[in-house]
Amino acid sequence: MRILVDENGASLNAIEINQRIAKYQPPFAMVALYRDLKQLAASGRVHHEWSLRNGRVSSAYRSIDHPVVKARLVCKSCEKAVELHNADALTRLVAQACEKEGMVLSEAPVEFRVLCQRCQAAKDS
């Protein structure tokens, strides 16, 4: 829990969580970590989020002490993610488009696939 709280609302996958745990103690076996994260999510102590990355479903966890992420920018090359916590206008716009088309807006954050500055610079060179 402390790892997620210390991230100030950022979503982390299990590998990232285990890397941060390793700074304080020996890392967990991944099976045990996934089991614990599943229990924390089921009890409502952490948010469990799903997203599509590189054509595969990715799972991430976030502290409930922080607002739900409504949108995020994700680099399509390196997968660096920047979460947009103040995306109310964007969320309303997407919700209106969904309503107009007879669709329901998912609770998952809206993701925009972009290139970060580092990947863009590498591409340009």
Side-chain angles (χ1 to χ4, degrees):
M1 286 293 301
R2 183 178 81 190
I3 300 296
L4 292 174
V5 170
D6 289 348
E7 289 299 316
N8 295 318
S11 298
L12 300 175
N13 65 34
I15 293 170
E16 293 167 327
I17 292 170
N18 222 11
Q19 289 170 342
R20 284 164 177 78
I21 289 170
K23 294 177 184 176
Y24 304 103
Q25 66 184 43
F28 288 104
M30 291 306 290
V31 171
L33 181 58
Y34 280 115
R35 181 194 64 228
D36 291 347
L37 288 169
K38 183 177 178 181
Q39 289 174 346
L40 288 169
S43 69
R45 296 179 64 200
V46 300
H47 291 288
H48 184 195
E49 302 171 343
W50 298 95
S51 62
L52 188 63
R53 293 190 180 172
N54 293 332
R56 294 185 289 183
V57 175
S58 177
S59 180
Y61 301 86
R62 184 177 39 79
S63 168
I64 62 168
D65 296 336
H66 298 281
V68 173
V69 175
K70 297 181 179 178
R72 70 172 53 109
L73 306 174
V74 180
C75 178
K76 60 186 174 182
S77 181
C78 72
E79 297 298 324
K80 173 184 176 184
V82 176
E83 297 178 341
L84 306 175
H85 294 282
N86 298 320
D88 293 333
L90 176 61
T91 303
R92 280 193 302 275
L93 182 63
V94 173
Q96 289 169 353
C98 286
E99 185 177 327
K100 179 181 175 187
E101 298 300 325
M103 299 176 175
V104 177
L105 181 61
S106 167
E107 290 183 23
V110 175
E111 288 191 356
F112 295 93
R113 306 299 284 183
V114 298
L115 273 177
C116 70
Q117 291 178 346
R118 190 184 78 200
C119 292
Q120 182 64 48
K123 182 181 174 189
D124 291 343
S125 58

